[in-house]
Amino acid sequence: MSVMRRINFKPIALFVGVAVVLSGCSGLNKMKKNADQINFKVTPEVLEAHASEVGVAIDARFPAKYFNKKVTLTATPVLKYEGGETAYQPVSVQGENVEANNKVISYNGGNVSYKDAVDYKNAMAKSELYVNIKASQGAKSVDFEPIKVADGVIATSEKVIMIPKAILGVQREANNSGKYDPNIDAFQRIVPDEMTADIKYLINRSNLRREETSKTEVSALEDYTKKANEDERIDLKDVEISAYASPDGEIDLNTDLAAKRKETSSAFLAKKLKEAGVDVQLKTKYTPEDWDGFKTLLEQSNIKDKELILRVLSMYNDPEVREREIRNLSVTFTAVADEILPELRRAKMTTSVDMIGKTDEELKAAAKADPASLNPAELLYAATLFEDLNEQLSVYNSFVKAYPNDWRGPNNVGYVMVQQYKYADAKPMFDKAEKLANNEPIVKNNVGAVTLTEGDVEGAEALFGAAAGAGDAVNYNMGIVSIKKAEYDRAVQYFNKFADVNSGLAKLLAGNNNGAVKDLDACTIEGCYMTEYFKAVIGARTAKESLLFDSLKAAVDMNADLKAVAKTDMEFAKYFDNAKFKAIVD
């Protein structure tokens, strides 16, 4: 009888399990131990901030026999700086036998490319980029020691001076309709003016009629001319008489008629002005057939078939042919004879003057004592006579009260607040101006300027686009936007009419060091320490140590806070241990 041996399988199973675990851990630990065999290439070698982001490109190369076929490796780039760290997005790769959807790295070696960006923070100015790696196999995982792969961050682009340009509301004279004429200058101390009156004649007559010479408009012209002669603030320039005949009848008759009308009207006005004590030489002329006046009145009329007559005027230059063709339109000519021709049998009397405005001192006094006594153009101009921004602000606030429906008031209040760097206070004023202005480009630019200071680059860009044509300030502001978007060549184009700290920065970032230095040297803003700081950056980039040290010394002399900035600015990384550099920034 055979005897069966009972074998205990539990220790064997336990041994096998332990062996498997140890084997898995051994593979992970081996990869950890040999992590220095992974080759990391980082672009750029020193990280840079552009468009308010720190982008990075990493190419990782795994050598042959390194990557375990059953392991998944997750790598997370992390930018570490004083007081914190910022992680980029993690990326995972896997061995050949792992069933997942990550990029596979062969046991014979392989590589992976990676790109990502994070928002820039000022604390990142001096930082280091590490790669944190976790290797896992099944339920087991091992954390590698963090691997430093790069330094960061060159953040010169973030030093753009965020002071966008606002535009002062144009100070335009009002025309008779109450709208604003963009072709008239802001404030005219001497403003041309004139008054006109007509004396009408009967057909084929040149004698004056009492009902015409005693008309209100004729009396008003006499008074206007007399006042211009007496008032020290009015310069009487000319008094002119133009006599006309209507374009019907024979040309010889009309020539003689127009000449006689000139004589009778001139004699009348000369007598009246002499009685008023006005000594002026009358200018006189006459026009035998007033076809220009005929066309103007016809265009303004409601006469049937007037388009036919206008066509005749365009087709024929000979006056006799014109008259014949118009008379052929018998019904229409009757209306012309009744409505148009009587208005052309006239002498037009015109007095031209220059209205001489208040002196600067008078305007300043009135702006303080009685702002409402000044018209809009005078009050807006008066504000510019004060150098003190608070006094300017007071005058513009007075303008808002005196002329509450004029957009220039709140716009100009906001403009002064921008000069005082009170952007939050300026915004509601620009918003008010925008409601009154009906898409005025100047206001669009100014709202965009405040929007830009709030960090909304896209919103500001849209507003500057709507402000196209409002002046060079719009282009300047678009230059700032372009720097913020890392579009440096475009920024240079927008700044092409400027030479200051931002135009110099744009050229620096675009690689034009010589042009940058030229613009920075041309900057006329007193005490602008950043012009010297950027020249120091150029000195460091081009290894011109005299430019570097001289400019950096000048910058920190103007603003001692720049010492701490320069100490951590990676633009100067090569000089951190330089004795001369340390003497400047310590």
Side-chain angles (χ1 to χ4, degrees):
M1 181 176 176
S2 63
V3 179
M4 296 183 61
R5 291 184 61 185
R6 186 174 290 180
I7 301 174
N8 188 346
F9 288 97
K10 289 184 178 181
I12 297 175
L14 178 61
F15 174 80
V16 172
V18 171
V20 170
V21 170
L22 291 176
S23 173
C25 289
S26 175
L28 296 176
N29 287 323
K30 182 180 178 182
M31 291 183 70
K32 176 179 179 179
K33 179 181 178 181
N34 296 328
D36 60 350
Q37 296 180 14
I38 307 172
N39 178 262
F40 293 98
K41 181 181 179 182
V42 179
T43 306
E45 293 182 1
V46 178
L47 302 187
E48 300 175 4
H50 296 287
S52 297
E53 291 185 338
V54 182
V56 65
I58 302 175
D59 290 312
R61 177 69 185 177
F62 298 93
K65 300 181 182 180
Y66 174 80
F67 213 103
N68 189 301
K69 295 181 179 182
K70 298 180 179 180
V71 170
T72 298
L73 188 151
T74 300
T76 306
V78 178
L79 198 57
K80 297 185 179 182
Y81 42 88
E82 184 176 352
E85 62 181 44
T86 299
Y88 290 80
Q89 288 295 315
V91 60
S92 295
V93 292
Q94 66 188 46
E96 298 175 43
N97 295 341
V98 178
E99 294 183 2
N101 293 320
N102 305 305
K103 179 178 175 63
V104 175
I105 302 298
S106 168
Y107 181 71
N108 293 322
N111 65 286
V112 60
S113 295
Y114 169 92
K115 284 186 178 182
D116 195 19
V118 296
D119 292 338
Y120 174 74
K121 300 177 183 178
N122 290 335
M124 296 175 180
K126 189 173 183 181
S127 54
E128 297 175 321
L129 182 67
Y130 286 83
V131 176
N132 294 342
I133 299 175
K134 179 186 289 290
S136 59
Q137 182 177 346
K140 300 297 180 178
S141 62
V142 173
D143 290 324
F144 292 14
E145 291 297 322
I147 303 170
K148 181 182 174 181
V149 294
D151 290 310
V153 171
I154 293 175
T156 303
S157 67
E158 294 300 307
K159 293 181 175 64
V160 58
I161 307 301
M162 291 292 289
I163 303 180
K165 294 186 181 293
I167 304 177
L168 185 65
V170 288
Q171 302 137 13
R172 302 170 185 160
E173 294 290 332
N175 63 24
N176 292 334
S177 67
K179 297 179 181 178
Y180 293 101
D181 181 356
N183 297 316
I184 298 180
D185 291 337
F187 169 73
Q188 295 175 284
R189 197 182 307 280
I190 298 176
V191 180
D193 194 27
E194 66 179 24
M195 178 175 282
T196 298
D198 283 348
I199 293 177
K200 302 289 176 55
Y201 292 88
L202 295 177
I203 188 171
N204 295 332
R205 300 289 182 88
S206 60
N207 60 296
L208 298 175
R209 293 176 293 155
R210 183 174 180 79
E211 60 265 32
E212 285 295 315
T213 58
S214 61
K215 290 191 305 185
T216 300
E217 65 179 273
V218 175
S219 299
L221 178 75
E222 296 170 10
D223 293 341
Y224 180 87
T225 308
K226 181 180 179 181
K227 180 180 179 182
N229 187 63
E230 298 173 346
D231 196 323
E232 292 183 354
R233 289 194 179 277
I234 304 177
D235 183 14
L236 177 60
K237 304 297 289 183
D238 297 306
V239 180
E240 183 177 271
I241 295 176
S242 298
Y244 303 87
S246 59
D248 58 318
E250 296 180 359
I251 184 65
D252 291 340
L253 174 63
N254 286 337
T255 300
D256 182 60
L257 196 57
K260 288 180 179 179
R261 288 172 178 173
K262 181 198 74 170
E263 297 301 327
T264 56
S265 59
S266 299
F268 163 76
L269 187 57
K271 181 174 181 296
K272 287 293 183 180
L273 294 181
K274 184 176 181 180
E275 292 173 354
V278 179
D279 184 12
V280 62
Q281 182 68 40
L282 296 181
K283 293 183 178 180
T284 62
K285 64 180 181 179
Y286 66 91
T287 302
E289 295 190 341
D290 188 11
W291 285 106
D292 290 337
F294 178 85
K295 181 181 179 183
T296 298
L297 292 177
L298 184 64
E299 289 174 335
Q300 296 171 353
S301 74
N302 294 318
I303 292 176
K304 183 180 179 181
D305 295 332
K306 71 176 182 180
E307 297 300 329
L308 292 176
I309 301 177
L310 291 171
R311 194 175 305 149
V312 168
L313 296 181
S314 66
M315 291 174 62
Y316 305 104
N317 291 322
D318 187 293
E320 293 184 359
V321 175
R322 281 181 170 182
E323 184 179 353
R324 183 180 69 246
E325 293 297 325
I326 294 171
R327 285 181 179 276
N328 288 337
L329 303 169
S330 56
V331 176
T332 301
F333 182 77
T334 300
V336 168
D338 292 341
E339 298 179 29
I340 305 295
L341 298 181
E343 299 297 317
L344 301 177
R345 300 166 186 140
R346 74 200 191 282
K348 182 172 74 172
M349 303 178 293
T350 303
T351 296
S352 301
V353 304
D354 281 342
M355 310 294 289
I356 303 173
K358 299 177 178 64
T359 66
D360 284 356
E361 290 305 315
E362 289 173 332
L363 289 169
K364 289 176 69 175
K368 285 187 172 183
D370 187 13
S373 68
L374 301 178
N375 65 42
E378 289 174 328
L379 190 52
L380 289 171
Y381 173 73
T384 67
L385 299 175
F386 295 94
E387 293 185 5
D388 184 81
L389 289 177
N390 288 323
E391 289 186 315
Q392 286 186 23
L393 189 61
S394 177
V395 176
Y396 288 135
N397 278 321
S398 297
F399 185 96
V400 172
K401 293 178 181 177
Y403 303 101
N405 295 320
D406 191 320
W407 65 268
R408 296 173 296 177
N411 177 82
N412 291 13
V413 169
Y415 171 85
V416 175
M417 290 176 172
V418 166
Q419 310 314 303
Q420 298 174 323
Y421 310 115
K422 298 176 181 177
Y423 297 109
D425 294 333
K427 184 174 184 180
M429 302 308 299
F430 288 144
D431 288 342
K432 182 177 181 180
E434 189 172 28
K435 292 178 181 177
L436 294 171
N438 190 26
N439 292 319
E440 169 62 47
I442 287 174
V443 183
K444 292 290 186 184
N445 172 79
N446 294 348
V447 176
V450 174
T451 301
L452 186 58
T453 65
E454 294 173 336
D456 183 0
V457 176
E458 290 185 1
E461 183 178 19
L463 287 161
F464 296 144
D472 291 337
V474 181
N475 285 336
Y476 187 90
N477 295 340
M478 282 299 295
I480 296 177
V481 168
S482 297
I483 290 179
K484 295 297 291 182
K485 294 176 66 178
E487 297 172 349
Y488 305 128
D489 288 335
R490 179 172 292 183
V492 170
Q493 293 301 313
Y494 279 124
F495 287 135
N496 68 343
K497 290 187 178 180
F498 300 89
D500 68 359
V501 62
N502 280 337
S503 70
L505 174 61
K507 289 180 179 179
L508 187 164
L509 295 169
N512 181 1
N513 292 320
N514 291 334
V517 171
K518 184 177 179 180
D519 276 14
L520 294 169
D521 281 338
C523 184
T524 58
I525 301 174
E526 186 176 352
C528 185
Y529 46 83
M530 289 307 294
T531 58
E532 295 297 331
Y533 191 90
F534 290 147
K535 285 161 61 178
V537 169
I538 295 170
R541 289 189 175 191
T542 57
K544 295 179 180 178
E545 293 191 352
S546 60
L547 179 62
L548 161 61
F549 295 130
D550 292 347
S551 299
L552 187 59
K553 179 67 166 55
V556 301
D557 284 348
M558 285 188 275
N559 184 352
D561 291 342
L562 287 178
K563 292 183 178 182
V565 175
K567 283 181 181 180
T568 60
D569 192 337
M570 294 301 293
E571 293 279 13
F572 306 121
K574 295 180 181 179
Y575 297 90
F576 283 162
D577 296 325
N578 181 285
K580 195 168 185 178
F581 178 85
K582 292 167 72 174
I584 294 173
V585 300
D586 286 342

